[in-house]
Amino acid sequence: MPESYKIIASVGEDDLRHLQKKDVKEVDVIEVRLDLFSRNYIQKEMKKKLKALGLPVLFTYRRAEDSSVRSYVKLFHEDVEGILKDFNDNANYLDIELNREDTIFRNYDTLNYRIIYSYHSFKKSILANEMTNYINKAKPVKKKNPIFKFAITPEDIEETADFLNDIKLLSKSNTMIGICMGELGIISRVFGDKFHSSFTYMTLGEAKAPGQISVDTFKKLRADLFKSPNSGKDSKED
């Protein structure tokens, strides 16, 4: 079984500027999408705001071709080096893309962050053996065991089911996150823990990925399920 199901809330600069501690009381981790921030905010304002919120932080950087949201500006390692040093702790996380050779996070394997190795496809799904290959090729990290995130775009409900069942299978030997993007992916975002996905990604503002929902919507859908006549039985199933 995975760790308890945790909510990661993705934010850009406009979101973070207006967030208060009361807004994140249902959130476990704040995902800072660095590509959705200006250099000025990262270097002068971000540290103070994140410290005030008091939550674990996940730093993510997506290039334009790997994102469905328009970025502020292209960043380099020097632009984020300071903020990474400020939060270099094993309670925080770094996102490292599995299907890219390069990253702006230099020497990440020597830092204290827990690593989330991620794979994204906005066009198709991925098979279990392909995921296994990516996992086996991932750069080893000395700190806590890494997490493997696969976010795909299924063609139909059958492909969604196959993918989630593969996530459940792979979770026997790895900490996994499985996300299906788009309209077909709602089950993976709200009930991913039923398939041993350890984290889910929500938004506190505009969606940062296709099909991403708000924390409030997530809470309502979960509550509606557990109010159903069969909820007691269902909640005990794996």
Side-chain angles (χ1 to χ4, degrees):
M1 286 294 292
E3 303 162 20
S4 59
Y5 204 34
K6 294 181 180 178
I7 295 176
I8 297 174
S10 303
V11 298
E13 183 170 326
D14 293 338
D15 306 316
L16 190 58
R17 280 185 182 277
H18 299 102
L19 276 185
Q20 303 297 322
K21 201 160 186 175
K22 62 181 176 60
D23 301 321
V24 296
K25 62 181 184 296
E26 303 292 339
V27 172
D28 298 295
V29 180
I30 292 284
E31 181 188 34
V32 175
R33 278 285 303 270
L34 289 165
D35 50 300
L36 305 181
F37 288 83
S38 61
R39 287 190 181 91
N40 185 68
Y41 189 91
I42 292 170
Q43 295 171 357
K44 296 183 179 180
E45 301 181 56
M46 182 177 283
K47 177 183 177 180
K48 182 178 179 181
K49 188 57 182 276
L50 290 175
K51 292 288 187 182
L53 292 176
L55 286 174
V57 179
L58 161 61
F59 288 111
T60 298
Y61 179 73
R62 296 273 179 261
R63 292 162 179 79
E65 60 270 31
D66 298 326
S67 174
S68 60
V69 185
R70 186 176 179 180
S71 61
Y72 263 71
V73 66
K74 184 177 180 180
L75 298 175
F76 299 92
H77 173 73
E78 293 75 17
D79 300 317
V80 301
E81 188 174 14
I83 196 71
L84 293 184
K85 189 177 296 183
D86 290 333
F87 289 86
N88 185 23
D89 185 276
N90 61 17
N92 298 319
Y93 305 79
L94 277 186
D95 181 290
I96 305 296
E97 293 170 306
L98 283 167
N99 48 332
R100 273 196 170 275
E101 294 295 328
D102 56 334
T103 174
I104 65 168
F105 305 136
R106 291 182 187 166
N107 301 317
Y108 62 86
D109 55 317
T110 66
L111 301 177
N112 292 324
Y113 291 91
R114 190 172 184 189
I115 303 300
I116 297 181
Y117 284 114
S118 67
Y119 168 97
H120 297 78
S121 174
F122 295 98
K123 296 181 179 180
K124 61 184 181 67
S125 187
I126 187 171
L127 300 176
N129 66 319
E130 295 175 293
M131 286 190 277
T132 299
N133 286 339
Y134 276 116
I135 289 170
N136 290 339
K137 290 178 183 177
K139 189 174 184 177
V141 286
K142 297 177 182 178
K143 306 298 177 183
K144 290 184 178 179
N145 291 333
I147 301 160
F148 294 95
K149 174 192 177 186
F150 292 88
I152 56 91
T153 306
E155 288 190 357
D156 50 41
I157 195 66
E158 289 80 11
E159 203 165 67
T160 300
D162 288 344
F163 169 76
L164 291 174
N165 283 321
D166 287 342
I167 292 293
K168 186 174 182 178
L169 178 65
L170 290 170
S171 74
K172 292 179 179 179
S173 52
N174 305 280
T175 303
M176 302 294 296
I177 302 173
I179 299 288
C180 295
M181 293 185 282
E183 293 181 1
L184 289 170
I186 188 70
I187 189 173
S188 72
R189 294 187 181 276
V190 181
F191 306 114
D193 53 335
K194 296 293 183 180
F195 300 90
H196 298 193
S197 184
S198 296
F199 296 77
T200 186
Y201 284 68
M202 303 286 116
T203 180
L204 292 168
E206 294 295 318
K208 305 300 184 291
Q212 198 175 70
I213 62 175
S214 70
V215 174
D216 287 342
T217 300
F218 170 81
K219 287 166 54 185
K220 182 180 185 304
L221 291 172
R222 293 279 290 193
D224 287 347
L225 171 77
F226 295 123
K227 285 178 184 175
S228 68
N230 295 322
S231 63
K233 178 182 177 182
D234 291 346
S235 64
K236 294 177 183 177
E237 294 178 355
D238 287 338

